[in-house]
Amino acid sequence: MQVDFYQLSRDPVEQVLPAIAARVLGLGARLLVVAGEDERLERISQGLWAGPPESFLAHGRAGEERAAAQPILLSERCEAANGARHVALADGLWREEALGFERAFYFFDADTIAGARTSWRALSKADGVEPRFWRQEGRKWVQGP
C-alpha cells in the first residue's frame, strides 16, 4: 500500500486535490476525500467544480442520495460508500482506516506538520506500507526526503 504525503506550503488542499482526483479518475478508479470539518469539504467541493468544463470532476457528499454512485465522494468519515480504493486525507489528520485502501494521499500543512511527522515515522516501519513524500517547489511537486 502506498501513502503519499503532500506538504502544502503554497497552495491549499482545495487547489491541489483536483489534479490528483483527475489522475485517480483517469485510472478508472474512485476516490474518497476525508476531512473532519464541513467547511473544508465545502471548499474542496468548490475546488472540484472550479476547473474548466473539460476537466469536470463529478462528486457528491456522503449521506446524500446516490452517494454510492459518485466517482469522488466527500466525507467526514473514512468509509467509502462509493467503493473507492483510493483515499485522500485532506485535513492533515492521519486515520488508521486509510490502511484498508490501495493508496492514500495525506495532505498536511504547517499547522499539522507534527502529526504528519509522527505518521511518517510509524508508517515507515509498517509492513506493506510504502510512504512517499512530496513538497511544493514553485509551481510543481517534487518527490523528496
Side-chain angles (χ1 to χ4, degrees):
M1 181 264 164
Q2 182 174 321
V3 179
D4 291 294
F5 284 70
Y6 282 86
Q7 184 174 9
L8 302 170
S9 58
R10 190 177 63 89
D11 299 321
V13 68
E14 60 267 20
Q15 290 179 11
V16 173
L17 188 59
I20 290 170
R23 281 189 296 207
V24 169
L25 295 183
L27 296 171
R30 291 177 173 219
L31 179 66
L32 174 67
V33 178
V34 180
E37 315 89 27
D38 188 61
E39 302 81 32
R40 185 181 307 260
L41 290 172
E42 184 56 35
R43 288 193 312 271
I44 290 169
S45 178
Q46 292 302 315
L48 292 169
W49 286 115
E54 64 273 8
S55 67
F56 176 70
L57 296 169
H59 64 281
R61 297 286 292 262
E64 292 179 349
E65 189 176 331
R66 299 189 38 82
Q70 297 298 332
I72 302 170
L73 187 64
L74 309 180
S75 179
E76 292 182 12
R77 300 171 56 124
C78 204
E79 298 172 359
N82 65 343
R85 301 302 307 142
H86 294 74
V87 62
L89 304 175
D91 59 2
L93 301 175
W94 175 255
R95 293 158 176 85
E96 289 300 311
E97 298 91 344
L99 293 174
F101 290 78
E102 290 175 14
R103 188 168 181 184
F105 303 92
Y106 179 25
F107 297 93
F108 64 97
D109 58 18
D111 293 336
T112 55
I113 196 167
R117 287 179 177 148
T118 300
S119 297
W120 176 272
R121 285 190 294 273
L123 292 170
S124 294
K125 297 173 187 171
D127 288 335
V129 178
E130 180 185 350
R132 295 185 184 176
F133 175 76
W134 299 90
R135 69 180 185 282
Q136 290 177 297
E137 261 188 25
R139 303 272 319 147
K140 61 183 182 175
W141 288 93
V142 177
Q143 188 174 355

